[in-house]
Amino acid sequence: MSKEEKKVNRRDFLFTASYTVGAVGVGAVIWPMIDQMNPDKAQQALATTEVDISSIEPGKSITVLWRGKPIFIKKRTSEEIAEARAVKLDDLPDPQKDEDRVKEGKDEWLVMLGVCTHLGCVPLKDKGDFNGWFCPCHGSHYDVSGRIRKGPAPTNMEIPKFEFVDSNTIKIG
Amino acid sequence: MSEHEYTPKSKAGKWFNDRLPLLTLGAHLTDYPTPKNLNYWWTFGGILTFCLITQIVTGIVLAMHYVAHADLAFASVEHIMRDVNYGWLIRYIHSNGASMFFLAVYIHIFRSLFYGSYKSPREVIWIIGLMIYLLMMAAAFMGYVLPWGQMSFWGATVITNLFSAIPLVGDSITTWLWGAYSVDNPTLNRFFSLHYLIPFLILGLVVLHIWALHVPGNNNPVGIDIKKPSKDTVPFHPYITIKDAFALLVFMIIFAGFVFFTPNVLGHSDNYIPANPLVTPAHIVPEWYLLPFYAILRSVPDKLGGVILMFSAIFILFVLPWLDTSKVRSAVFRPIYRQFFWILVIDVLMLGYVGAMPAEGIYLVLARVGTIYYFLHFIVVMPVVGYLEKTDPIPMSISEPVLTGGAEPSLARKANDKV
């Protein structure tokens, strides 16, 4: 090759321009193929659930299905709340105050995603070393606030977005 | 490829072969010079081809009766078992066929490890083989989800949640895999689609696997390079075909034993309970062929760490040809490596056993010891032993040990030593 040919010429420009347009075109075709796998509108439409909580006795809990996942709704006794708040934050692998996991003034109501943050199993209630939940799959122990205490799960059980519609009804999502 | 030029005898054959040389390919496969000392551990390639075709044929038939919908899948599988003519037989062949497929592939992989079949010049064969193995695991996992029983559902939940360990994008990836906010109908639908696709991808890779094999030719129990064709080789047909056919028959007897006498022994009874997203079974275990990796996953007390280690356990095999520093292929002539090989076999079997047990107490200790040894074997033992080991003298040709001593290469070696 001679030296003159190394200069950028019209053909180089055409190659670069063609590749660029081609890449954009390929990307435009690939993206719909990838995005079609994300939750569709029918799935997104299931985004909220209203639950009647009037019949739950103190110390008891119910499980409802929201977006295909279980939600634990527990009405805690005052002893349980006191127990959760007595825990030192230093003892927690994922430090979070119990106050930050409930709605202010509704401290007895723990509403959380009943999904172990390890690999997604449903923990069993009133089991484990911390008076809360225990995941049978790989042995994660959660306390009465749903916070991880022992085992392979990295974080506390998640609190979903929810609100009290009135004193007997909550809306999840 | 064979050196000789092939010319069809008939005029029509010649006409066709000039346009598409299929007959030349057939002649190559028939005459393909094969080492004459191949033992029965070499028959698993043929057995695996049989397994793949069995899975494809029974799978296509099952798909004619199965319904991939969360509300209907479980009932449609029961419909296959009870109503469809011979449905029970076809399904049991398919479900046990998956186990037999893995049994054969594990023997095939360990044969390769023992005789150094992954070493130069066969690295590409090895890597294609591992890609087949990965696809097999994906196909088996998705297939297990299709009956939509409790184990299907929770197995799918646990495995897809492995991806949520990825920092930052983990949750988006998991949701993307699900097509929902949990394992749900969209998940089942796409798993069915992919489960149908993967066997054909495997079939394509099998063609490449065999093509890559036919470039250097087969390795053999003494692991030496041989001239092809020579007095060290025999034509593939009829010598190897008949040997493969015999081994296949024995294999099919075992296969039929499972299908007809204990069709559910390798499955889990919880999978005859319909999927329930509110209740996790007390003991979630994967199918037996994934247990060693499951044990590695559970041996790490950290979520991301466990996932990384589990995937590493598979991906480390891809670089195996470069971790093994020994110039001698076959473990027959490697007195030290041979012992480590058997330790690895025991290690993997033990990991499989503890993978089926609860992750606590002694099982957790064993899982950790087993995991550490698994990685030590590949990262430390293979490079170091290959470098330090004094190997036994290797024969000049396959014929040499046979002519100077017994049929066993090891006996011949001792005879040589005296000379």
Side-chain angles (χ1 to χ4, degrees), chain B residues 350-382:
Chain B
M350 183 192 77
L351 280 174
Y353 172 73
V354 297
M357 295 293 134
E360 57 198 25
I362 182 70
Y363 299 121
L364 195 56
V365 176
L366 286 175
R368 285 179 180 161
V369 172
T371 300
I372 290 166
Y373 181 75
Y374 182 91
F375 285 98
L376 277 183
H377 181 92
F378 294 113
I379 295 168
V380 178
V381 172
M382 288 203 102

Side-chain angles (χ1 to χ4, degrees), chain B residues 33-37 226-235 396-403:
Chain B
T34 317
K36 66 181 180 183
N37 60 339
I226 52 169
K227 269 211 209 104
K228 291 172 291 271
S230 71
K231 62 181 177 139
D232 277 349
T233 66
V234 289
M396 297 297 289
S397 75
I398 293 171
S399 298
E400 184 203 55
V402 180
L403 296 176

Side-chain angles (χ1 to χ4, degrees), chain A residues 110-124:
Chain A
L110 178 66
V111 178
M112 68 179 177
L113 215 50
V115 173
C116 180
T117 54
H118 183 226
L119 294 173
C121 297
V122 179
L124 304 169

Side-chain angles (χ1 to χ4, degrees), chain B residues 87-329:
Chain B
W88 60 272
L89 177 64
I90 296 159
R91 175 165 175 261
Y92 277 154
I93 292 174
H94 196 74
S95 59
N96 285 284
S99 282
M100 300 315 288
F101 205 158
F102 275 95
L103 176 68
V105 90
Y106 283 128
I107 295 173
H108 195 64
I109 291 170
F110 275 107
R111 187 271 291 157
S112 186
L113 283 175
F114 187 83
Y115 293 111
S117 301
Y118 52 88
K119 289 157 77 87
S120 174
R122 296 184 181 82
E123 301 95 322
V124 172
I125 312 174
W126 171 254
I127 287 168
I128 294 171
L130 288 174
M131 289 162 72
I132 294 173
Y133 175 53
L134 281 178
L135 284 178
M136 278 175 65
M137 289 197 282
F141 158 64
M142 292 189 198
Y144 196 55
V145 174
L146 301 185
W148 213 238
Q150 273 290 67
M151 278 293 162
S152 300
F153 184 89
W154 291 103
T157 299
V158 167
I159 300 294
T160 49
N161 261 305
L162 293 177
F163 294 93
S164 72
I166 303 167
L168 302 176
V169 291
D171 284 331
S172 313
I173 290 177
T174 319
T175 306
W176 177 73
L177 288 172
W178 288 336
Y181 301 100
S182 64
V183 173
D184 210 334
N185 190 49
T187 324
L188 176 62
N189 242 307
R190 65 191 53 182
F191 276 19
F192 179 58
S193 170
L194 295 171
H195 182 71
Y196 208 117
L197 163 72
I198 289 173
F200 297 98
L201 297 180
I202 294 178
L203 191 63
L205 284 175
V206 166
V207 171
L208 293 182
H209 194 61
I210 296 172
W211 185 2
L213 169 70
H214 280 231
V215 175
N218 287 71
N219 185 27
N220 63 78
V222 291
I224 55 170
D225 289 323
I226 52 169
K227 269 211 209 104
K228 291 172 291 271
S230 71
K231 62 181 177 139
D232 277 349
T233 66
V234 289
F236 189 78
H237 182 74
Y239 295 94
I240 304 298
T241 43
I242 198 71
K243 188 164 185 158
D244 275 359
F246 177 72
L248 180 59
L249 275 175
V250 174
F251 183 80
M252 284 162 81
I253 290 169
I254 298 165
F255 193 157
F258 277 107
V259 169
F260 290 105
F261 294 102
T262 59
N264 287 307
V265 71
L266 298 169
H268 200 295
S269 53
D270 274 8
N271 221 28
Y272 284 103
I273 302 168
N276 179 357
L278 292 178
V279 180
T280 306
H283 284 291
I284 295 197
V285 280
E287 293 282 77
W288 67 268
Y289 39 80
L290 302 175
L291 286 173
F293 300 110
Y294 194 58
I296 291 173
L297 168 77
R298 296 195 305 180
S299 72
V300 187
D302 176 74
K303 180 173 169 180
L304 181 61
V307 172
I308 288 173
L309 216 58
M310 185 184 73
F311 282 108
S312 307
I314 300 167
F315 285 105
I316 197 169
L317 297 172
F318 280 85
V319 291
L320 189 62
W322 296 276
L323 288 174
D324 183 353
T325 52
S326 176
K327 294 200 164 49
V328 174
R329 283 196 199 102

